[in-house]
Amino acid sequence: MDLKLDHHTKDGIEVVDVEGEIDVYTAPRLRELLIELVNSGYYQLVVNMEKVEFLDSTGLGVLVGGLKRVRAHDGSLDLVCTQERILKIFRITGLTKVFGIHDTVDEAITARKAEK
Amino acid sequence: MPEMATVEVSFTALPAHVRTARLVATAVARRSGVDEALLDEVRLAVGEACSRAVEAHRLYCPAEPVRIALTDSAGRFEVEVTDTGGAGRGDLTAADGITAAAEPGGSQRLEHGLGLAVIAGLADDVQISESPGGVSIRMSWPAVGLGR
């Protein structure tokens, strides 16, 4: 299973759908997409990880890098994830404190709108 | 009759092969009798160790293969990932990955630091050793030895 990436706008927020494995081989493609979105002026991002089957530290690094980029524009990068095997990686690295992690895309968007 | 069973894989230091190493390690772990609930941890920790080794080789010795040995011995499933990327460069000290990310060019160090943090958080038992030739990461998990 390779990495599949897609994105669409919902309520003014850019939702990035990620499917498959994010590792040292595939993570550069996610990095490029996040950079491309920020360069195109999308600073409010939600990364939907519900169909991610594998995530390693390279993937975590790309997500942290994306967060840095959107924050430079007062933006946000929230995650959607309910899979325990993926959440565990955020927990052991302490990154649950860095990202907003939500159960659904709608919930992530609602929480983001409420914060504005 | 107890005896050691070993599978060794060596692969060209390309990111695409890290997935293969993960799949082989998971298959051997399953066959060695590692609990199903631990296989995700084995898969991730082996992937992290191999990613680290691949990055070290790409920087310092791209022609040399990365080696991984999977051993089923005395109730333990042991994995050793060995790189020949040269030691003493200090990237093992980049464990403070988050602050490294704030520095210029720090994202690669961030990933190395996170990788080691992930390994430490996942493997039951980890030993990292540096020799003049490179770095070796040895990890193990309990196994009931079904492979024999």
Side-chain angles (χ1 to χ4, degrees):
Chain A
M1 179 74 213
D2 203 353
L3 181 70
K4 266 169 90 182
L5 297 171
D6 212 338
H7 62 100
H8 63 275
T9 308
K10 190 171 186 192
D11 298 334
I13 287 179
E14 199 65 7
V15 179
V16 179
D17 292 305
V18 187
E19 185 177 346
E21 300 188 344
I22 314 177
D23 73 353
V24 65
Y25 178 54
T26 60
R29 284 175 45 214
L30 177 60
R31 179 186 286 124
E32 281 161 26
L33 174 61
L34 294 178
I35 291 173
E36 186 187 309
L37 290 174
V38 172
N39 288 347
S40 309
Y42 297 105
Y43 306 137
Q44 306 279 333
L45 305 179
V46 167
V47 179
N48 181 4
M49 309 192 44
E50 281 300 77
K51 290 186 176 169
V52 171
E53 288 157 16
F54 181 86
L55 173 74
D56 74 1
S57 63
T58 323
L60 291 176
V62 166
L63 293 171
V64 172
L67 183 66
K68 269 178 62 188
R69 281 173 202 280
V70 292
R71 279 198 179 156
H73 298 276
D74 286 325
S76 61
L77 190 158
D78 296 296
L79 304 177
V80 174
C81 181
T82 57
Q83 300 183 74
E84 188 49 39
R85 67 204 304 203
I86 306 288
L87 289 171
K88 184 175 182 179
I89 306 161
F90 285 94
R91 269 201 299 275
I92 61 178
T93 51
L95 289 174
T96 42
K97 300 184 199 85
V98 175
F99 291 102
I101 302 179
H102 303 274
D103 288 352
T104 64
V105 169
D106 286 342
E107 193 189 300
I109 291 173
T110 306
R112 181 50 56 191
K113 296 270 177 195
E115 238 175 69
K116 271 185 152 180
Chain B
M1 178 170 55
E3 60 181 70
M4 226 164 68
T6 301
V7 174
E8 281 187 31
V9 178
S10 85
F11 61 93
T12 309
L14 292 174
H17 295 329
V18 172
R19 180 171 190 265
T20 307
R22 285 200 306 267
L23 293 174
V24 172
T26 310
V28 177
R30 180 177 281 123
R31 193 173 162 74
S32 303
V34 173
D35 195 281
E36 283 291 322
L38 292 176
L39 291 179
D40 271 344
E41 305 190 358
V42 172
R43 179 183 294 119
L44 183 56
V46 169
E48 295 293 349
C50 290
S51 302
R52 205 208 132 274
V54 164
E55 291 300 322
H57 277 227
R58 286 167 70 80
L59 284 172
Y60 300 101
C61 56
E64 294 288 319
V66 171
R67 292 162 48 81
I68 169 168
L70 308 155
T71 308
D72 172 10
S73 162
R76 304 288 297 177
F77 169 69
E78 187 179 287
V79 182
E80 184 171 17
V81 178
T82 311
D83 75 58
T84 46
R89 298 185 313 274
D91 54 357
L92 284 176
T93 61
D96 187 10
I98 303 298
T99 52
E103 296 165 13
S107 73
Q108 202 151 53
R109 285 184 53 205
L110 164 79
E111 285 157 18
H112 281 173
L114 277 182
L116 292 174
V118 169
I119 290 169
L122 288 179
D124 203 48
D125 160 55
V126 190
Q127 289 159 23
I128 301 174
S129 54
E130 276 188 273
S131 71
V135 173
S136 149
I137 299 181
R138 189 185 295 213
M139 316 169 266
S140 72
W141 290 266
V144 296
L146 297 176
R148 286 193 291 273

